[in-house]
Amino acid sequence: MTAQKTIFLIFMLPLLSWSQLSQPRDIDFVKSFIAPFKTQDVKAISAYINFPLDRPYPIENIIDSTDFIKRFDEVFNKELIEEITSSSPEENWTKMGYQGIMLHHGSLWLDPYDKKLISVNRENQKTKQLEAQYTETYRASLHPSLRIFKTAILSMETKQFKIVIDRLEDGSYRFASWRRLKKMTQKPDVVILEGQKDFEGSGGNHFYTFRHKTYTYICHVYVLGFKNIPAELQILKGETLFHSEIASSIDY
């Protein structure tokens, strides 16, 4: 997981202060971002990307500019490029307070301070095909008892554990974990069903909660505000924190 990965949901937008672009520095930045799309200069576009660029899990992230140039059409298809190049900085781009600048209703977001792309929220057909392909590869990497699910949500590792969370057909979430040295094709040590997802504020931070007998497992995913801490596992016994570990890696 990387810091720039921020999914802005439409129902959160009323919580943010917003205004059409009026500051010259913001308008100039958006114009400079649009320009290489008009000339189809993929190398110039890559200068606006903070690598690695996160892709929907379980698709592999784009690791650098060379990888981005090869996989450009995964992120920007013809329709999105047209949406960008035909847009007016003053009329179609909106500054949402400290959250960034968005195109239309959130097709993509820019960081006006770091002068980088924050996120692309338009999923094209190629991405959908890759998601299906990678999901089947991911499914085969799991123990047979875990291979039935609707959507792969995330995988993370802590000092002691490997953890995966999937969404089932009924919309609930499933937690599975192994000791770190085990393979995921082995039977998991812990499986908990009927989990739920909740958000913390409007910045994208969220957490998954799973309850088993007197224990509660909480997986926190930190998008904003926790430098070098991408995620955290907390285990409560009753109301008392029993165990916690910071994730060494996460993909979602």
Side-chain angles (χ1 to χ4, degrees), residues 11-71:
F11 70 82
M12 291 182 179
L13 298 183
L15 301 177
L16 308 177
S17 61
W18 62 275
S19 63
Q20 288 186 309
L21 296 190
S22 58
Q23 294 293 327
R25 63 177 179 272
D26 292 333
I27 294 171
D28 289 345
F29 166 50
V30 171
K31 285 181 177 178
S32 70
F33 176 79
I34 293 172
F37 285 93
K38 291 183 175 180
T39 59
Q40 300 183 35
D41 189 342
V42 179
K43 186 175 181 180
I45 294 169
S46 72
Y48 290 93
I49 309 298
N50 189 13
F51 297 106
L53 176 63
D54 292 292
R55 303 296 296 135
Y57 183 72
I59 300 174
E60 293 179 350
N61 293 334
I62 297 175
I63 59 174
D64 55 26
S65 59
T66 301
D67 197 20
F68 176 75
I69 291 169
K70 291 178 181 176
R71 300 168 60 186

Side-chain angles (χ1 to χ4, degrees), residues 153-164:
I153 299 299
L154 67 80
S155 65
M156 59 185 274
E157 289 193 7
T158 67
K159 185 176 180 180
Q160 298 186 53
F161 304 111
K162 290 178 180 176
I163 297 165
V164 298

Side-chain angles (χ1 to χ4, degrees), residues 10-242:
I10 296 302
F11 70 82
M12 291 182 179
L13 298 183
L15 301 177
L16 308 177
S17 61
W18 62 275
S19 63
Q20 288 186 309
L21 296 190
S22 58
Q23 294 293 327
R25 63 177 179 272
D26 292 333
I27 294 171
D28 289 345
F29 166 50
V30 171
K31 285 181 177 178
S32 70
F33 176 79
I34 293 172
F37 285 93
K38 291 183 175 180
T39 59
Q40 300 183 35
D41 189 342
V42 179
K43 186 175 181 180
I45 294 169
S46 72
Y48 290 93
I49 309 298
N50 189 13
F51 297 106
L53 176 63
D54 292 292
R55 303 296 296 135
Y57 183 72
I59 300 174
E60 293 179 350
N61 293 334
I62 297 175
I63 59 174
D64 55 26
S65 59
T66 301
D67 197 20
F68 176 75
I69 291 169
K70 291 178 181 176
R71 300 168 60 186
F72 177 78
D73 59 347
E74 273 185 43
V75 186
F76 296 101
N77 64 356
K78 181 179 179 181
E79 289 74 21
L80 182 54
I81 292 172
E82 172 62 25
E83 183 178 353
I84 294 167
T85 57
S86 63
S87 67
S88 163
E90 296 89 345
E91 296 177 8
N92 305 126
W93 295 78
T94 307
K95 192 165 186 178
M96 306 299 292
Y98 70 91
Q99 301 284 9
I101 297 172
M102 73 171 184
L103 172 61
H104 291 131
H105 297 293
S107 297
L108 56 80
W109 287 73
L110 302 177
D111 184 335
Y113 306 104
D114 290 339
K115 300 293 189 291
K116 296 289 185 179
L117 175 76
I118 296 175
S119 66
V120 176
N121 297 327
R122 285 274 299 271
E123 190 174 82
N124 60 42
Q125 187 60 36
K126 184 163 186 177
T127 297
K128 291 178 181 179
Q129 291 171 350
L130 286 170
E131 277 189 287
Q133 174 186 328
Y134 276 85
T135 295
E136 291 312 304
T137 301
Y138 165 76
R139 199 186 303 275
S141 73
L142 298 173
H143 184 267
S145 64
L146 298 176
R147 291 177 183 173
I148 298 176
F149 59 85
K150 183 177 182 179
T151 310
I153 299 299
L154 67 80
S155 65
M156 59 185 274
E157 289 193 7
T158 67
K159 185 176 180 180
Q160 298 186 53
F161 304 111
K162 290 178 180 176
I163 297 165
V164 298
I165 295 177
D166 305 312
R167 189 171 64 197
L168 305 182
E169 290 292 340
D170 65 1
S172 67
Y173 295 87
R174 178 181 65 193
F175 171 100
S177 71
W178 300 256
R179 286 288 176 179
R180 186 162 182 169
L181 295 180
K182 283 189 172 182
K183 296 180 179 179
M184 293 195 301
T185 50
Q186 294 178 269
K187 185 177 180 180
D189 299 312
V190 177
V191 176
I192 309 175
L193 303 176
E194 299 182 354
Q196 65 182 48
K197 178 181 181 180
D198 294 285
F199 284 88
E200 298 176 312
S202 60
N205 292 351
H206 56 281
F207 60 94
Y208 301 87
T209 304
F210 302 87
R211 293 180 173 85
H212 178 65
K213 296 182 180 179
T214 61
Y215 292 92
T216 302
Y217 292 69
I218 305 174
C219 290
H220 292 272
V221 179
Y222 301 126
V223 177
L224 294 176
F226 293 84
K227 188 176 182 181
N228 300 323
I229 304 178
E232 182 180 10
L233 169 68
Q234 294 181 339
I235 304 175
L236 281 65
K237 186 174 183 180
E239 300 296 323
T240 304
L241 181 62
F242 175 74

